[in-house]
Amino acid sequence: LAAIAPITKPLKIDHCVPKSSDHLIRSFDAHISPNPVKKGAPLKIFASAEMEKVFKSGTYILEITAFGFPVLNQTDDICRDSTGFIPTLGPVTISGLKCPVAIHHKAEVVTTITVPSQLVDGVNIRVKIYVENQDKEPVMCEDTAFET
């Protein structure tokens, strides 16, 4: 069995939705679990927002870089769960929104990625997810990076 080794630096999520979208969401919350990240264990990035406009449908763009290079760029329907695969890192799962989301209700997106226990130290990994509604208005954006 591979040991689960912690990555010692706590991670932060940058909320990257433009100020022009402030009228679309009442509150935004994001967190990472576990924090700090542990090699060999699933990393979950949670983002939620309370909607100020009905969210009927939308899309997400998921960008992941590792080793300084793009390893996944995926666009899909945010109102369903989906999975991508990165040869060096494995599966990446998006737990989508439960659409429609009514005004003043909370919507949550969860991105799950497992940092392989055998991954060498010093690899920079960046995970960014951007969500827009049916009118192509940005409502969520989370951007985090860490080094193994």
Side-chain angles (χ1 to χ4, degrees), residues 1-129:
L1 290 177
I4 296 179
I7 297 172
T8 56
K9 296 178 186 175
L11 303 180
K12 293 182 182 176
I13 296 178
D14 177 30
H15 178 53
C16 45
V17 168
K19 285 294 231 182
S20 61
S21 292
D22 282 354
H23 68 287
L24 299 171
I25 56 174
R26 177 181 283 187
S27 64
F28 178 81
D29 181 48
H31 66 279
I32 301 166
S33 180
N35 191 5
V37 176
K38 294 179 182 168
K39 287 183 182 180
L43 165 66
K44 292 186 180 235
I45 305 169
F46 299 85
S48 63
E50 187 175 332
M51 298 295 165
E52 287 290 319
K53 178 179 179 178
V54 174
F55 189 103
K56 298 175 189 170
S57 63
T59 58
Y60 73 84
I61 300 169
L62 176 66
E63 299 170 348
I64 298 178
T65 59
F67 312 101
F69 298 98
V71 293
L72 182 68
N73 190 337
Q74 179 171 310
T75 301
D76 207 340
D77 181 353
I78 193 61
C79 295
R80 66 180 189 89
D81 297 345
S82 58
T83 301
F85 186 80
I86 304 170
T88 54
L89 298 174
V92 178
T93 304
I94 301 295
S95 297
L97 302 180
K98 308 306 177 223
C99 299
V101 180
I103 294 175
H104 299 168
H105 283 81
K106 196 166 267 197
E108 182 175 68
V109 176
V110 181
T111 305
T112 305
I113 182 172
T114 298
V115 179
S117 57
Q118 69 274 19
L119 193 62
V120 297
D121 291 340
V123 176
N124 289 308
I125 298 174
R126 180 174 169 245
V127 180
K128 181 177 182 181
I129 186 165

